[in-house]
Amino acid sequence: RLSIMLDVGKWPVFALLPPEELRLIRQACVFGSAANEALYVTVNDEVFALGTNCSGCLGLGDLQSTIEPRRIDVLCGKKIVSLSTQSEYIDGEVYAWGHNGYSQLGNGTTNHGLTPALVSTNLLGKRVTEVACGSHHTIALTADGEVFAWGYNNSGQVGSGSTANQPTPRRVSSCLQSKVVVNVGCGQLCSMAVLDNGEIYGWGYNCNGQLGLGNNGNQQTPCRIAALQGVNVVQVACGYAHTLALTDEGFVYAWGANSYGQLGTGNKSNQALPTLINTDKERMVEVAACHTSHTSAAKTQSGQVLMWGQCRGQAVSSPHLTHFSSTDDVFACFATPAVTWHLLSVDGDDYLTVAQSLKKEFDSPEISDLKFLVDGKCIHVHKTLLKIRCEHFRTLLNETDEDAIEIQQFSYLVYRAFLEYLYTDTINLPPEDAIGLLDLATFYRESRLKRLCQETIKRGISEENAITLLSAAVKYEARDLEEFCFKFCVNHLTAVTQTQAFADMDHDLLKNFISKASRYGAFKN
């Protein structure tokens, strides 16, 4: 079996690397005004750079361009979590280098940085979980939900309340002071933040309406996008001058500049307010854009990838289905310049691991020594593996030497998914069928499986089934899922209370729901 390598047809900057070097690449970032610069991390956690080295942005200690990869010693052996043009975070620490004319490296000077240096002011003791870069400003999000910003501030993009450049990281407070941020993004000259309650805030340059506030005035401090009241945003992505937001229901909203159709509205008119994009009703799970281009992309729950906006200089004004399997490919093939929108990951395994070997043998009759009979169908398994993986089977199979066991308590679909989980550590079930598996996980006291079921069910929640899922969560004592479903119901209260499931709701559950929703403030005017 051939190993999977970085596709040099899509990312030409790597085209001169020998195959043995390409096979070692685990993560990569392509950047620069002509996509001629790159950093990559190997399977051995070594970091290399190659390209034109504009302003020392390769972090090599000099200004020499190179077509052969050169090692960045200070970053080797560290766990790189993300790369973003000119800065990265490594397991909680932020390093920055390159152009610094506007203090975008956060070190208090305007001297260019030729090697990666730790960004320490106000960030020591903080664990940074996400970094976003604009043209010359940087935003960092911490594990505590705090946002820090530094660099160029001509339009208020660092959120300090002025337009003076910010030489070192400073907490973006104002109306975010006591709030928890979970996701950040940067356009060319603006900044966006998503809160844990689904609200979204923007600040900075707004002449194209990219802040979604309904006007074109710049904002020097964070301002909530009131037009999305009642909508729960979970991810934001920023293009050069446009913004995309993904909601918990899988809808995509867009606003800002639209000269290339990057809003996906079917025309080229700018929008100063969030506009719902028609994606043929399929649930989206990811949106993508980067501030160097006017290209937009999204991925559906079934794995299909859509793109719209700038397509090699041409305008695509409505979402188009592609043949790609990842949003990264959209930017590699269509964006100008063709840079990565986030850290690109590469699967470089060229052999079957233990986990892959076990997965391959699930329900294979060839060397199995036990079969389960469920709903008249057979599932072939291995006694030893079941004993190792599950306390229930360790007891059961020590008490019996049967080579066939009939199961009547659970359906074939659910029991097969359970056995497959023991082989793969994952569950392969649609959200609506995962309730049955949640029942099984509760019965067998499989706590990790129970958590996975809850995550799967969350992804399938809708106004129609929210009460049904809430009832199941209460029944199977799935606290995390119960809280998630409850919040979803409160956030979509009008629609949820008009469903048949709400009308049929168990009396005690209804009483508890109304009481809790009242405490939550759901019925306040």
Side-chain angles (χ1 to χ4, degrees):
R1 187 161 76 92
L2 289 174
S3 64
I4 298 170
M5 295 191 297
L6 198 69
D7 190 338
V8 297
K10 291 175 181 150
W11 306 104
V13 68
F14 297 106
L16 293 179
L17 267 62
E20 56 270 23
E21 185 75 17
L22 282 172
R23 285 192 188 96
L24 292 176
I25 296 177
R26 177 170 59 87
Q27 296 169 308
C29 178
V30 178
F31 57 98
S33 58
N36 281 335
E37 289 145 334
L39 297 169
Y40 67 86
V41 186
T42 70
V43 293
N44 304 316
D45 281 329
E46 292 188 311
V47 183
F48 290 86
L50 72 159
T52 51
N53 206 14
C54 177
S55 303
C57 60
L58 296 185
L60 297 169
D62 55 43
L63 295 171
Q64 296 297 311
S65 298
T66 175
I67 60 169
E68 294 186 355
R70 288 172 57 190
R71 200 168 178 266
I72 307 178
D73 291 327
V74 69
L75 299 181
C76 291
K78 296 179 182 287
K79 184 184 176 187
I80 307 288
V81 180
S82 177
L83 293 165
S84 188
T85 309
Q86 292 189 329
S87 70
E88 64 183 59
Y89 62 98
I90 303 170
D91 214 13
E93 294 182 328
V94 180
Y95 287 76
W97 63 96
H99 190 282
N100 197 32
Y102 303 97
S103 300
Q104 60 264 46
L105 300 188
N107 59 17
T109 76
T110 53
N111 303 323
H112 296 337
L114 297 182
T115 56
L118 182 66
V119 183
S120 57
T121 304
N122 293 330
L123 291 181
L124 284 179
K126 304 278 185 184
R127 196 171 81 79
V128 172
T129 58
E130 196 174 336
V131 167
C133 293
S135 60
H136 299 99
H137 78 288
T138 307
I139 298 257
L141 173 65
T142 72
D144 297 327
E146 298 175 337
V147 177
F148 289 81
W150 60 95
Y152 194 36
N153 193 33
N154 68 327
S155 304
Q157 57 265 48
V158 302
S160 60
S162 77
T163 54
N165 291 348
Q166 180 63 38
T168 54
R170 175 192 169 282
R171 170 96 188 269
V172 180
S173 51
S174 183
C175 53
L176 295 185
Q177 180 67 42
S178 58
K179 295 181 167 63
V180 176
V181 175
V182 294
N183 179 228
V184 292
C186 284
Q188 184 80 344
L189 295 167
C190 70
S191 307
M192 305 296 298
V194 178
L195 270 54
D196 63 345
N197 66 0
E199 293 179 347
I200 181 167
Y201 286 71
W203 61 98
Y205 189 71
N206 191 35
C207 285
N208 299 286
Q210 55 262 61
L211 299 186
L213 303 174
N215 59 52
N216 295 103
N218 294 348
Q219 294 291 327
Q220 295 175 9
T221 55
C223 192
R224 184 171 69 86
I225 301 179
L228 289 176
Q229 175 74 36
V231 171
N232 287 274
V233 175
V234 292
Q235 188 212 335
V236 66
C238 299
Y240 183 92
H242 79 288
T243 309
L244 304 174
L246 176 69
T247 76
D248 62 350
E249 289 192 279
F251 295 124
V252 177
Y253 287 83
W255 59 92
N258 198 26
S259 54
Y260 284 93
Q262 60 264 44
L263 299 187
T265 55
N267 58 49
K268 296 183 186 176
S269 303
N270 290 4
Q271 297 288 337
L273 285 170
T275 304
L276 181 62
I277 306 307
N278 178 18
T279 50
D280 290 334
K281 297 186 178 176
E282 184 161 9
R283 181 184 283 258
M284 297 294 143
V285 294
E286 177 183 86
V287 288
C290 55
H291 77 83
T292 54
S293 75
H294 312 286
T295 307
S296 302
K299 190 173 187 177
T300 71
Q301 190 161 23
S302 63
Q304 293 183 311
V305 173
L306 303 170
M307 73 82 56
W308 60 98
Q310 179 175 241
C311 178
R312 299 197 172 191
Q314 300 209 37
V316 177
S317 60
S318 296
H320 267 60
L321 191 60
T322 70
H323 298 290
F324 301 138
S325 57
S326 77
T327 51
D328 298 296
D329 290 350
V330 168
F331 297 90
C333 295
F334 293 145
T336 308
V339 299
T340 52
W341 74 276
H342 67 168
L343 185 61
L344 174 70
S345 294
V346 184
D347 178 9
D349 291 340
D350 60 354
Y351 64 95
L352 285 177
T353 62
V354 173
Q356 289 166 333
S357 299
L358 292 177
K359 183 177 181 178
K360 188 165 164 275
E361 289 303 320
F362 171 65
D363 202 15
S364 171
E366 198 175 335
I367 57 169
S368 68
D369 54 2
L370 175 64
K371 63 184 177 185
F372 285 95
L373 305 171
V374 193
D375 296 342
K377 300 175 188 172
C378 286
I379 309 169
H380 298 271
V381 291
H382 306 77
K383 291 179 181 178
T384 301
L385 184 136
L386 265 51
K387 287 181 183 179
I388 291 171
R389 294 281 288 153
C390 178
E391 192 64 41
H392 165 76
F393 287 126
R394 184 173 299 188
T395 305
L396 175 70
L397 298 175
N398 279 340
E399 294 172 354
T400 179
D401 57 359
E402 298 284 333
D403 57 7
I405 298 174
E406 189 170 354
I407 299 294
Q408 295 178 329
Q409 187 176 348
F410 301 102
S411 70
Y412 171 79
L413 193 69
V414 165
Y415 214 75
R416 180 183 167 84
F418 169 50
L419 294 172
E420 188 173 7
Y421 159 76
L422 297 178
Y423 278 74
T424 65
D425 272 332
T426 59
I427 60 174
N428 184 20
L429 267 183
E432 58 270 20
D433 292 318
I435 293 176
L437 190 58
L438 180 62
D439 179 18
L440 182 147
T442 307
F443 182 74
Y444 285 151
R445 298 181 182 176
E446 287 285 335
S447 55
R448 183 177 178 273
L449 178 58
K450 194 170 176 177
R451 285 199 305 274
L452 283 178
C453 289
Q454 292 181 69
E455 291 306 313
T456 299
I457 293 167
K458 283 180 189 179
R459 290 198 294 271
I461 196 168
S462 67
E463 291 169 351
E464 279 299 317
N465 67 16
I467 290 294
T468 305
L469 299 186
L470 176 64
S471 302
V474 171
K475 180 179 178 182
Y476 301 123
E477 298 181 354
R479 302 290 180 222
D480 182 45
L481 178 62
E482 180 184 343
E483 191 63 22
F484 178 86
C485 293
F486 171 75
K487 283 184 178 178
F488 185 94
C489 289
V490 169
N491 288 328
H492 302 270
L493 193 61
T494 303
V496 166
T497 54
Q498 291 171 355
T499 62
Q500 188 60 43
F502 187 84
D504 299 339
M505 203 171 178
D506 173 78
H507 178 73
D508 288 340
L509 184 61
L510 176 62
K511 199 165 73 173
N512 289 337
F513 175 79
I514 291 172
S515 172
K516 189 175 177 184
S518 179
R519 291 197 303 275
Y520 199 77
F523 303 114
K524 287 180 183 174
N525 289 328

